[in-house]
Amino acid sequence: MTDLPIYNPAEIEPKWQRKWDGDGLYHADIDPSMPKHYALTMLPYPSGELHIGHWYAMTPSDARARFMRMRGYNVMFPMGFDAFGLPAENAAIRRRIHPKEWTYANIQRMRGQLKSMGAMFDWRREAISADPKYYRWSQWFFTQLRKHGLAYRKMSPVDWCPNCNTTLAREQVWGDDRHCERCGTPVIKKDLEQWFFRTTQYAEELLDFSNIDWPERVQALQTNWIGRSNGSTVYFQTETQDRLEIFTTRPDTLWGATFMVLAPEHPLVEKITSPEKSGVVEQYIQQALRQTDIQREATDKEKSGVFTGGYAINPVNGERIPVWVADYVLMTYGTGAIMGVPAHDQRDFEFARKYGLEVRVVIQPEDIPTLDGATMPESVPAYGTMVNSGQLSGTPGDIAFEQAVAYLQERGLGKAAVNYRLRDWLISRQRYWGAPIPIIYCPEHGAVDVPDEQLPVLLPDDVEWLPTGESPLKLHPTWKLTTCPVCGKAAERETDTMDTFMCSSWYHLRYLSPDYGPAPFDPNEYDYWMPVDTYTGGIEHATMHLIYTRFFHKACRDMGVVKGDEPMSQLRNQGIVLGEDSEKMSKSRGNVVSPDDLVGRYGADTVRAYLMFFARWDMGGPWNSSGIEGSVRWLRRIWNLFTDEVGKSTAEASTLRVLRRKVHQALSQITHDFETFEFNTIVSGLMELSNHLSRARELGAAGSAEWDEAVDIYLRMMAPVTPHIAEELWDLRGKPYSIHNQPWPEVDQEAALEEQITLVVQINGKVRDRVQVPADIGEEAAKQAALNTQAVHKYLEGRLPKKVILVPGKLVNIVE
RNA sequence: GCCGGAGUGGCGGAACAGGCAGACGCGCACGACUCAAAAUCGUGUUCCCUCGGGAGUGUGGGUUCGAUUCCCACCUUCGGCACCA
């Protein structure tokens, strides 16, 4: 017995991590002679613990980045921390520890955990959004957006979390009960002066995904979120001689409008309401406004409303129709006013039936019986021939929309219009732990930008934490006192900070040059590295971060700060790792899987391999603690297989030919799967090949040139998945450091070709036999071989087949 | 209600420009090694069966010589949106 080293990840993993780190192996620097690849994975929030979800997101991303590196790309794979945010403040209040201290302690701990992954992060490029050298530029971007009219301040009803004491963006309000994303408390409405970014200005462009390779799923979610509606604006006139604009997606039903409805907040309500109705209307509005959005927006709620006593004139037929107020019309969409066409809209129908308003049919779809407004049990929203519609009567359904719009436009009664569900992005937060909004309020000059040379507006460290929930910046005795940059007189700072999504909208740019002073990023770095080639992260950011960062990039493009239309060329999302009970992991359920424990027990390589293997990456799924044993055994076997003593090869030539064939076939498959992010079949392909290698070894293959080639290729293929063991085995075989600097092996197509193939013999589409034939067999010979099989003889009993179908290289189907 | 995924052995999953269903792994069973166990190695493992076969990829149809893969209609489930005019 010789002293063969045993596989001990606890020893080799830290050893190689230190060596790689010391050598700067993964440093990515501009090199115009090489094609670049910017691989980016979503940065974590420094909550304190790296959990298995981070590993699940990051290790395959790392493996892919490593693969690209071996393929000859100059790969940058940076990491950082999205370090501002509410949890730090909650910790501050609960544990009487400063958010900064809490955050940076967590960062330090998580940086260590991240390093235990053995990922190829270039830590020189680390960016932390809570660093003044970072948020100085978050503030600069805000100023730029304001200068270009893309940031504005407005008094508006906002979603307010009474527990967090702050506003929330629409995206941060979740669920049927409209609760706070962070703490789960139902939100309330509050009127506040708030800062907004004009995301709506980019609504149309954000719908265009034609130049980026993003998952259909994300495209669908974003498209849905932006909510484009094609229709037209129609100008009604009230009897008080006011213009009342409405938006409709069905201008072809205009002749069927039998009433109008205004949102309770609509500015014309007061004026249009007749004196005798004002009491009832006033009462209704008060009650509507008191309701929460949850009550008001519940779809199953019975519609309610009141008649204002006012009338408007339908511009297409001059009819006088009553104007109502109802809370099913929202001030925040369209113009806050609608025409009611009960025959062809279900909401209007329910309203009309309840209040006895006329239901008039103006659309008659061809395939259903003639409609009668008085008796129809529900609305008919389908397109169809226009009827009772003046000179447009008879217009067929397929052109009714365009004809109606044309009719309105010719007469100046309306125009084609598009509406979006997307709202402007509310970025004000009444919190301390965020980037201060760089604005100064002067009694004389109003809201004034903090001049660039005064940036950053630093967060004061000496703040008091009172359990009022009020932002400590408001309570600070002196911080907000300053002077107006325009007139120099006493003025006050804005005490709100920015939504952290603002900071994370451009972190990929800060990675380019995290210490750069003159600008948010070094333009040379930008020109070389951008755009991000592959972006990976969770699907849950589809309608938040991933819309914000696209908006941000487009806005920056229009401000002349960046180039190109999109920040990230390719996006891939991973799924979620659930607990073993198939439920979402949570501390209270006690089903949390700790990556640190797993690494301690099995080593990082095993955890990496299992995370890539156990599920389709984009699907995720429940954790299985016994399943990881498969990865443990695989790596142990590989270790033993490649460290075992090698004598002289005793294998036959055919064994070695088969060995080469299997190796190159696996290489071809694994290369393909790396390209397409199919990580689970990368690992299964490696496992399968290791089974072939074991067999070949038993047949005496070790010691041959073919065996050496097999091991060499094998180690390179596993290097992106399990970087430590690959490096160690590479080293043990006396190969030059580092395996991670080796090129990806080339497939020898000839070696991968099969010599013999198994031709499947089907009779009437059912498999009846198989026959071994040379791979290059001709058509006739293949058919003959199939017809000569026992099964076919037995089946046909001398009869002639009706048809013989050959799928070259695969099968012969004999049809009787 | 609308939009988008997903339904394959006991389990995770593989195969789909239509062509051997169940690769790979977990689990399980049996065997080897061991005094014994663990570990390891080997063999088997979709179901039914009268051992000839038969059925089988959520359900029901269709196209085809041939369908897990394509088409139509459903069912279940997960995610998103939702009184959006």
Side-chain angles (χ1 to χ4, degrees), chain A residues 123-157:
Chain A
W123 287 101
R124 296 171 313 162
R125 293 180 177 275
E126 182 192 59
I128 298 171
S129 64
D131 283 351
K133 70 178 181 185
Y134 186 108
Y135 70 72
R136 177 218 156 123
W137 296 107
S138 298
Q139 293 172 336
W140 179 85
F141 277 116
F142 176 94
T143 309
Q144 291 298 308
L145 287 163
R146 178 136 194 262
K147 286 199 171 107
H148 289 83
L150 292 169
Y152 66 93
R153 190 165 180 252
K154 157 180 111 171
M155 172 70 86
S156 67

Side-chain angles (χ1 to χ4, degrees), chain A residues 398-437:
Chain A
D398 56 345
I399 58 164
F401 182 101
E402 297 91 276
Q403 294 293 310
V405 173
Y407 182 95
L408 290 170
Q409 268 173 186
E410 278 160 26
R411 289 162 179 75
L413 307 175
K415 58 168 198 269
V418 172
N419 246 292
Y420 302 93
R421 223 181 304 210
L422 186 73
R423 313 272 167 83
D424 280 341
W425 174 13
L426 164 68
I427 61 122
S428 297
R429 295 291 178 277
Q430 292 67 45
R431 304 306 323 163
Y432 164 74
W433 192 234
I437 294 174

Side-chain angles (χ1 to χ4, degrees), chain A residues 632-708:
Chain A
V632 174
R633 285 173 199 151
W634 170 52
L635 289 183
R636 209 179 283 147
R637 262 182 227 139
I638 287 295
W639 180 271
N640 295 335
L641 191 61
F642 292 173
T643 55
D644 235 3
E645 264 180 278
V646 171
K648 251 194 149 163
S649 171
T650 55
E652 290 174 19
S654 66
T655 302
L656 298 177
R657 264 206 317 280
V658 171
L659 173 62
R660 282 209 81 211
R661 183 155 67 233
K662 296 291 183 193
V663 167
H664 284 275
Q665 284 175 347
L667 174 58
S668 167
Q669 174 238 315
I670 288 168
T671 305
H672 170 265
D673 292 350
F674 262 116
E675 281 164 355
T676 53
F677 297 82
E678 292 170 89
F679 300 108
N680 55 339
T681 47
I682 290 170
V683 179
S684 70
L686 285 168
M687 287 174 168
E688 198 174 355
L689 181 59
S690 79
N691 293 340
H692 287 300
L693 293 184
S694 294
R695 225 160 295 151
R697 202 197 155 90
E698 270 161 41
L699 294 170
S704 64
E706 287 82 354
W707 177 259
D708 281 345

Side-chain angles (χ1 to χ4, degrees), chain A residues 77-141:
Chain A
F77 190 50
M79 185 41 62
F81 293 94
D82 182 20
F84 275 137
L86 254 174
E89 278 185 65
N90 293 337
I93 295 162
R94 264 202 319 276
R95 305 185 214 173
R96 312 216 121 261
I97 173 174
H98 196 281
K100 189 191 255 182
E101 240 177 88
W102 183 84
T103 302
Y104 281 83
N106 287 347
I107 287 175
Q108 199 169 349
R109 170 165 168 67
M110 289 174 77
R111 199 186 282 129
Q113 291 178 303
L114 282 164
K115 286 186 175 178
S116 76
M117 261 181 207
M120 56 171 284
F121 298 125
D122 181 355
W123 287 101
R124 296 171 313 162
R125 293 180 177 275
E126 182 192 59
I128 298 171
S129 64
D131 283 351
K133 70 178 181 185
Y134 186 108
Y135 70 72
R136 177 218 156 123
W137 296 107
S138 298
Q139 293 172 336
W140 179 85
F141 277 116

Side-chain angles (χ1 to χ4, degrees), chain A residues 283-328:
Chain A
Q283 202 185 352
Y284 180 79
I285 291 171
Q286 282 313 315
Q287 173 229 314
L289 296 184
R290 254 203 321 276
Q291 284 186 357
T292 62
D293 276 5
I294 320 153
Q295 295 163 330
R296 195 169 150 185
E297 291 178 7
T299 38
D300 50 1
K301 192 187 78 167
E302 197 179 319
K303 311 244 171 314
S304 71
V306 289
F307 178 41
T308 61
Y311 289 84
I313 304 302
N314 186 340
V316 293
N317 56 16
E319 258 179 58
R320 183 169 180 264
I321 57 178
V323 180
W324 287 61
V325 176
D327 64 4
Y328 79 92

